[in-house]
Amino acid sequence: MRAVVQRVSSASVAIDGETVGQIGRGYLVLLGVGHNDTRADVDKLWGKLGGLRINDDEDGKTNLSLEQVKGEVLVVSQFTLYADCRRGRRPSFTAAGAPEVANDLYEYFVSLVRADVPHVACGRFGADMKVSLVNDGPFTIILDTDEL
């Protein structure tokens, strides 16, 4: 499982011109599910991400967790995080999880976030979405459960 995590001042996701999810200060999580991922990977990913201290304290040091800053989370599914660009010019997505399994793991991830974070917004799995954000920092990290 892979996640691109951006610390944001605000973020939103729209489908067909309608905003379906919006947050203030917190994290935009672009979430990709691989074909071998399981609920254990979801647990591992949120276990790491939920406790990361990547928010500024009063001295400007990245020392505070999401909970400490009362941050919010926007989760957007993104199978393209599993793009394989090693051959040719057209990416292969064969490493991405099958849609029905990936959607189940995406929903499970969202449920874990909701259990810990008071305000969670989401995109819609498989939809054509337009994501807007104000990256705070900018601060962007990549997490891969194969490397945690």
Side-chain angles (χ1 to χ4, degrees):
M1 184 163 279
R2 294 179 181 158
V4 173
V5 181
Q6 298 183 72
R7 188 180 71 189
V8 298
S9 300
S10 63
S12 63
V13 60
I15 301 171
D16 295 328
E18 177 188 348
T19 299
V20 297
Q22 187 170 0
I23 64 166
R25 179 181 186 184
Y27 302 158
L28 167 62
V29 179
L30 304 174
L31 184 69
V33 176
H35 68 274
N36 289 325
D37 289 337
T38 65
R39 284 185 171 224
D41 293 298
V42 176
D43 293 336
K44 183 190 300 186
L45 181 62
W46 179 243
K48 176 61 83 171
L49 174 56
L52 279 180
R53 298 183 320 164
I54 59 174
N55 294 282
D56 293 345
D57 63 16
E58 62 278 351
D59 297 323
K61 297 194 185 292
T62 52
N63 201 27
L64 300 176
S65 69
L66 185 67
E67 180 181 14
Q68 290 172 303
V69 299
K70 298 180 180 12
E72 303 174 347
V73 178
L74 173 60
V75 184
V76 176
S77 64
Q78 189 164 356
F79 78 95
T80 60
L81 293 178
Y82 277 90
D84 182 348
C85 299
R86 291 177 290 185
R87 294 180 24 196
R89 295 182 186 263
R90 185 170 185 264
S92 168
F93 298 102
T94 58
E100 45 295 336
V101 174
N103 186 38
D104 178 60
L105 294 177
Y106 167 78
E107 293 294 338
Y108 179 58
F109 181 84
V110 170
S111 74
L112 293 181
V113 179
R114 283 194 168 129
D116 293 338
V117 179
H119 180 74
V120 178
C122 303
R124 187 175 308 138
F125 187 89
D128 181 20
M129 297 174 276
K130 307 298 182 214
V131 179
S132 300
L133 69 135
V134 177
N135 192 315
D136 179 22
F139 201 108
T140 303
I141 60 173
I142 300 171
L143 298 173
D144 188 321
T145 54
D146 288 342
E147 298 173 7
L148 296 179

